[in-house]
Amino acid sequence: MTNSFSHDHVGITVTPDELDATIKWYSSTLDFNVEKQFEAHGTTFTFLVNGDAKIELLAGASNGRPPTHDILSSMDPARLHHFCLAVDDLDAAIARLNDLGVPLIGGPMDVPEIGRRIAFITDNLGTIIEITAPAPR
């Protein structure tokens, strides 16, 4: 028997003190909305959504990660490296992020092998986010 998977969400741990600022960052920077928030097992679970993309914030654990400012120096194999959000127009997305003061830590660059154009940013906690769109023809 073969399993068939589809993507559901990405989970990001935050401290309770970081939760509100992180919700605000994803809401104001990437247009995510709070879908659901609840308490269980001493942790606050917050689900953020934008289209088909879903992020789960888990407030209760310490993340202990320093911010990442350079995509090439972030290749530590002992952690989740990044998650990726797809957009229709990468240049428009980058322009909006630039207007909001969100710096790129990598790209933009074309990856002909996969037919995509990509760039990287970090959230307010240092979580690496890849933004991708189809490469121009």
Side-chain angles (χ1 to χ4, degrees):
M1 178 194 224
T2 302
N3 289 317
S4 177
F5 295 102
S6 63
H7 190 268
D8 189 79
H9 69 273
V10 172
I12 301 172
T13 57
V14 301
T15 65
D17 292 342
E18 297 166 327
L19 181 59
D20 289 339
T22 304
I23 292 169
K24 182 178 179 182
W25 190 92
Y26 279 93
S27 297
S28 63
T29 306
L30 299 179
D31 300 321
F32 276 77
N33 296 302
V34 175
E35 176 186 58
K36 184 180 294 189
Q37 186 174 64
F38 61 93
E39 303 272 336
H41 312 289
T43 300
T44 301
F45 296 86
T46 305
F47 286 89
L48 305 172
V49 296
N50 180 331
D52 292 336
K54 187 185 297 185
I55 298 169
E56 176 186 16
L57 302 177
L58 300 96
S62 173
N63 65 6
R65 291 183 312 265
T68 303
H69 302 289
D70 174 18
I71 193 67
L72 295 177
S73 66
S74 66
M75 302 293 189
D76 179 351
R79 68 173 184 167
L80 171 71
H81 185 263
H82 68 276
F83 69 92
C84 184
L85 298 172
V87 296
D88 293 327
D89 183 338
L90 184 65
D91 293 324
I94 290 170
R96 181 170 186 274
L97 291 167
N98 187 50
D99 289 345
L100 293 170
V102 179
L104 297 180
I105 64 165
M109 63 189 91
D110 293 326
V111 186
E113 295 83 357
I114 59 172
R116 306 296 289 177
R117 185 164 162 77
I118 64 174
F120 295 87
I121 62 172
T122 60
D123 69 10
N124 62 307
L125 302 171
T127 306
I128 299 170
I129 304 166
E130 177 181 351
I131 309 293
T132 186
R137 292 183 180 245

